[in-house]
Amino acid sequence: MTEKSPVSAGRIAFLGLGHMGEPMAVNLIKAGFDVVGFDVVPAAMAAATEAGVPCATSAAEAVTGASVVLTMFPSGAILLDAYRGAGEPGLLEVAPPNTLFLDCSTIDVAQAREAAELTVAAGHRSADAPVSGGVVGAEAGTLTFMIGAEESEIEQLTALLEVMGKKLVHCGGHGAGQAAKICNNMLLGISMIGAAEAFVLGEKLGLSHQALYDVISTASGQCWAVTTNCPVPGPVPASPANRDYVPGFAGALMAKDLGLALNALEDAGVAAQLGPLAAQIYRKFADEGGAGRDFSGIITDIRDGSQA
Ligand code: NAD
């Protein structure tokens, strides 16, 4: 057994066994880690148990005796409540001293920094490692992790995260992983709106989708929103546009991430114009039927809002 073997990592309490958490926990178990799961929704726990994740009856039970607490929650408010405890002892109080609190959720940068401060003040260690790659990446173990942690944590984090992901980027200290994630996703939201506007303009000017794609994909407008997630059917057969915008990356998640970007832009006092506008556009998209559609479906709104 080597020093870095899964067994020496101790027990991992995996909290939040939703779309992403369950397959991530399963991959840790397959790699030989000792994992105990918990979710507040009984159906999520039942599904995780069925998938082979042993579950505790409470978060406190899962965390007692753990050396790592890995969270995959919907929001930072939920994370902070769980850490502090809402009316009962929080995870920071229940966990053994020097536990590594590893949050892989996508949350507000300011809340990630607050969570790290609380964690360190309680005598534990902290890391944020939000992901990209979606449910497909979680199942395949090919996620990208953006890590915000002290250098001294990287060796242990690498042993854990490389089981669930294929690319790990150490972005800096506490909160830096969340910061990198929302900067990237803000650019993604803006570039998808730009790609969609370009294709609708091309339609109006009589260009075929393929002709415009052939130019953009090899010219200076080239971007992931066009070459991988092309908002029109045809040029990129695997893009969600070819299957009626079944996600992919859902509009609800893009709206959420742009909301987090908006908070960070305001906190940092950035003179941004497109980030806030993209947040507004995707909030409307999500609220008016796009929540469960791929975010490239924004092109439909642009087309529908254009003159006949
Ligand atoms: P999800 O809603 O499917 O899962 C979250 C789970 O957390 C739920 O099962 C919920 O019951 C559970 N939960 C909530 N509060 C809890 C608590 N106090 N204790 C234990 N469990 C609790 O969401 P998801 O799609 O799995 O996403 C999880 C996180 O990953 C989010 O922050 C999301 O933004 C991020 N993310 C998701 C995707 C994606 O494609 N789904 C991609 C990248 C990042």
Side-chain angles (χ1 to χ4, degrees):
M1 185 193 310
T2 67
E3 212 186 318
K4 281 201 314 185
S5 77
V7 178
S8 71
R11 169 163 293 182
I12 301 166
F14 202 122
L15 310 181
L17 301 166
H19 293 96
M20 298 290 289
E22 183 203 294
M24 290 165 71
V26 166
N27 282 333
L28 285 169
I29 289 167
K30 281 185 188 157
F33 285 92
D34 176 14
V35 177
V36 175
F38 177 73
D39 195 291
V40 285
V41 172
M45 288 238 279
T49 306
E50 177 80 21
V53 182
C55 287
T57 55
S58 67
E61 185 189 313
V63 165
T64 304
S67 53
V68 178
V69 175
L70 197 164
T71 42
M72 200 56 180
F73 288 163
S75 73
I78 289 175
L79 182 82
L80 288 171
D81 274 355
Y83 277 15
R84 290 194 188 107
E88 53 191 32
L91 303 180
L92 296 176
E93 192 180 325
V94 175
N98 208 33
T99 295
L100 175 61
F101 278 79
L102 167 58
D103 181 43
C104 294
S105 328
T106 302
I107 66 168
D108 207 272
V109 177
Q111 287 174 320
R113 291 186 175 144
E114 188 180 350
E117 276 170 25
L118 290 170
T119 303
V120 171
H124 301 299
R125 296 175 295 135
S126 175
D128 51 289
V131 307
S132 74
V135 176
V136 172
E139 286 170 350
T142 56
L143 294 169
T144 293
F145 286 93
M146 292 146 271
I147 304 170
E150 299 298 325
E151 188 65 46
S152 55
E153 308 295 359
I154 296 302
E155 192 180 344
Q156 186 183 2
L157 286 169
T158 300
L160 276 174
L161 300 179
E162 69 186 5
V163 167
M164 300 178 282
K166 73 167 194 299
K167 188 169 170 61
L168 318 180
V169 183
H170 185 201
C171 301
H174 296 149
Q178 296 293 348
K181 162 102 187 172
I182 58 137
C183 289
N184 178 73
N185 281 20
M186 182 177 80
L187 177 57
L188 175 62
I190 292 169
S191 61
M192 181 55 81
I193 296 167
E197 289 185 356
F199 274 100
V200 174
L201 178 60
E203 290 167 5
K204 294 285 185 196
L205 299 179
L207 289 168
S208 73
H209 291 157
Q210 190 63 49
L212 185 54
Y213 174 84
D214 288 345
V215 171
I216 293 178
S217 64
T218 54
S220 46
Q222 186 194 6
C223 56
W224 187 92
V226 170
T227 57
T228 302
N229 216 77
C230 192
V232 292
V236 180
S239 81
N242 296 283
R243 45 176 204 272
D244 199 23
Y245 301 98
V246 171
F249 187 56
L253 288 170
M254 179 50 86
K256 171 191 167 177
D257 291 359
L258 286 168
L260 299 177
L262 186 58
N263 294 343
L265 287 169
E266 286 172 0
D267 286 352
V270 177
Q273 297 187 54
L274 296 185
L277 187 56
Q280 195 184 319
I281 289 169
Y282 272 107
R283 173 47 53 210
K284 185 168 183 292
F285 175 71
D287 288 347
E288 295 179 359
R293 306 181 78 207
D294 188 75
F295 78 118
S296 59
I298 194 72
I299 194 170
T300 312
D301 285 10
I302 295 165
R303 202 181 279 123
D304 290 351
S306 302
Q307 287 174 15

